[in-house]
Amino acid sequence: MLGGLVFAIFDIRTFIIINGISFLLSGLSAMLIDFKLNMQKNTASPKGGKINFFQDIREGFQYLSQRKSIMNLFVILISINFFLGFGLSVPLPYMLNTVLKLGSRDYGIIQGAFPLGMIIGALFVKKISAKINYPTLLNYLCLSMAIAMIFSGIPVMIKGAHWAIFLTSYIMGP
């Protein structure tokens, strides 16, 4: 979110300098991590201390296949993530730059609004899930995403309706 806002406010050179400095600070802080700080010796390992990656993955899928409700939710969420990511992330820069003739500042604001919308949405889901059961909430969220996708097509059909992209960027995440 901050990257989108910085990109909208500053020119590309300043953006690259800030990005480089943040990577250097991240690398330096990663060097200072003490990974053995809270490590306890665990001698009671169920598999003798060895990890079998493929067997663990297979056991995870067996667990999911035995729990149909978790598997259905898993499939729905993966599908939503794939189709929204493909349907929004790929054509969005083209629509903004070529069709709507918006600049990099507007693109940065929109990209910065995606995480903000996800944070606000997560807070609402947390509050609402105490009152509404999860399957009903999931149906309402899918309906609201469909409506938001319809709103995201309005600026392409009607010139000058840039407000719809800003509105949908706050409603939906990538």
Side-chain angles (χ1 to χ4, degrees), residues 4-147:
L5 294 176
V6 169
F7 186 72
I9 295 171
F10 299 109
D11 66 336
I12 191 67
R13 290 184 184 121
T14 309
F15 180 77
I16 291 172
I17 289 171
I18 292 172
N19 194 23
I21 291 171
S22 69
F23 274 106
L24 287 174
L25 292 175
S26 175
L28 289 174
S29 64
M31 289 173 41
L32 299 174
I33 296 174
D34 183 12
F35 289 103
K36 297 179 183 179
L37 179 67
N38 293 321
M39 184 177 259
Q40 298 172 357
K41 293 191 177 192
N42 187 4
T43 57
S45 179
K47 296 180 184 178
K50 291 192 175 192
I51 296 174
N52 189 343
F53 178 75
F54 293 110
Q55 182 179 353
D56 290 343
I57 295 291
R58 185 173 52 239
E59 288 174 3
F61 278 117
Q62 286 174 351
Y63 178 81
L64 284 177
S65 66
Q66 293 171 356
R67 312 290 188 293
K68 294 297 179 192
S69 61
I70 295 175
M71 189 63 169
N72 290 339
L73 184 64
F74 188 67
V75 168
I76 288 170
L77 293 176
I78 284 177
S79 300
I80 289 172
N81 187 28
F82 176 75
F83 289 116
L84 277 181
F86 182 69
L88 190 63
S89 298
V90 173
L92 185 65
Y94 174 77
M95 285 178 18
L96 293 176
N97 294 330
T98 307
V99 177
L100 299 174
K101 308 259 190 275
L102 297 177
S104 60
R105 176 183 158 87
D106 296 325
Y107 182 69
I109 291 171
I110 291 170
Q111 286 297 96
F114 278 130
L116 181 65
M118 289 193 305
I119 291 169
I120 292 170
L123 293 174
F124 278 125
V125 167
K126 176 71 174 158
K127 249 199 200 299
I128 293 172
S129 64
K131 299 176 184 175
I132 300 174
N133 63 357
Y134 196 71
T136 305
L137 180 61
L138 191 62
N139 288 335
Y140 286 136
L141 289 174
C142 287
L143 179 64
S144 65
M145 281 195 307
I147 292 169

